[in-house]
Amino acid sequence: MSIIHVVSVSGGKDSAATLLLAIERFGTDRVRGIFCDTGNEHQAVYEYLHYLEQATGVVIATLRANFQNEIASKRVFIARDQRTRRKYATQPVFDAAGQAVPKRDGRGNIALDKKGKPIQKTIKVGGGERVRWTNKAKRRALAVLHPSGNPFLDLCLWKGCFPSRKAQFCTEELKRNMAVEYQLGLIERGHSVVSWQGVRRDESLNRRNAKKYEAVGGGLHIYRPLVEWSAADVFAYCASKGIKPNPLYTQGMGRVGCMPCINANKPELKQIGQRFPEHISRISGWEARVLAASKRGGATFIPAENGGKFVQNAPAHAAANDIYAVIEWANTSRGGKQFSLLTALDEPTACASSYGLCE
Ligand code: SF4
């Protein structure tokens, strides 16, 4: 049984450095690169991966999720949906003294949650809404619910919405599941797998406790060699190996991933709007299609800021928050209350890298 070192390569600096480290320690024969293609990528990513392959001699396998079966099942479900149930909003019940009234089961015993705490009684309010798809929504959804062959779009058509910060299913469905499937395939063929991940603790709060090594079991191990590195360390290491960074870093992108990512910040969105309008136009087309496939007719790629707070993907805001409205907001000055002409006139050709690569 041999050990295979699998490096997930995204086209960004951290995964490039991780690939180089793996090759330095184990040579090209025992290292495999994988790229989970979301279908929402900039052309520069594909070109950079080709460059990495040429420069390192490691083949980077492209993995693309396929949601044909899920979409076919959803079409059948929508077409047959005859549910008669209604979904009601509820409100908690309090007694005259303002104390929470506990919920009771059929025998009069107080109902408890998983932690053993009493569950508060609730009552239905309003007339409720139909659970089933209306005939109008069925016709609208079935007209667009066909696989496009693009993993990101097909995932959103299947789900009937775009991923959000609260429900970031894109990472799981388009990247994690694909990488795990690939690694399990190697294990089934009798190998042990070390999954190399280019994660740094200083990247975000979520990653501040990232472990350097984890034994998952069943022949799978996780190794994160960069946990203690800074972004500057990563760029310096790649440069010492003669590897250039992805050019997107010199074009205002703080990170390289989807174009755009649902987590893109305001300055990144501004840069994308100015430099890559074709991607905004593509997302706008996706919004129209996913909106038609959604039961309630709501789908917004990135919720726009409203009075200093992000509005989540609520259908009520969908029409006002399309991607062009978000880009317009990204061009506003702090607070987003007014549109800044000076900001709009910024030359997008100047280096705006948040890593100061060209300084
Ligand atoms: S989190 Fe962002 S980069 Fe990751 S898959 Fe979702 S949209 Fe793409």
Side-chain angles (χ1 to χ4, degrees), residues 38 40-41 152 163 168-172 174-175 256-264 301:
T38 64
N40 183 19
E41 313 279 348
F152 202 110
Q168 201 169 297
F169 52 78
C170 46
T171 319
E172 187 179 329
L174 301 171
K175 297 191 171 180
V256 171
C258 285
M259 179 60 70
C261 169
I262 56 156
N263 294 320
F301 190 84

Side-chain angles (χ1 to χ4, degrees), residues 258-324:
C258 285
M259 179 60 70
C261 169
I262 56 156
N263 294 320
N265 60 28
K266 194 173 179 182
E268 281 171 334
L269 287 168
K270 179 187 157 195
Q271 292 293 331
I272 293 170
Q274 291 182 345
R275 293 171 189 266
F276 313 120
E278 67 280 11
H279 286 273
I280 300 304
S281 149
R282 172 174 53 79
I283 294 295
S284 177
W286 286 8
E287 282 184 330
R289 202 159 158 185
V290 175
L291 186 133
S294 115
K295 189 160 124 185
R296 292 184 192 154
T300 309
F301 190 84
I302 294 177
E305 190 167 288
N306 182 6
K309 287 183 184 158
F310 270 90
V311 178
Q312 291 303 323
N313 287 359
H317 300 286
N321 283 357
D322 67 11
I323 191 72
Y324 283 111

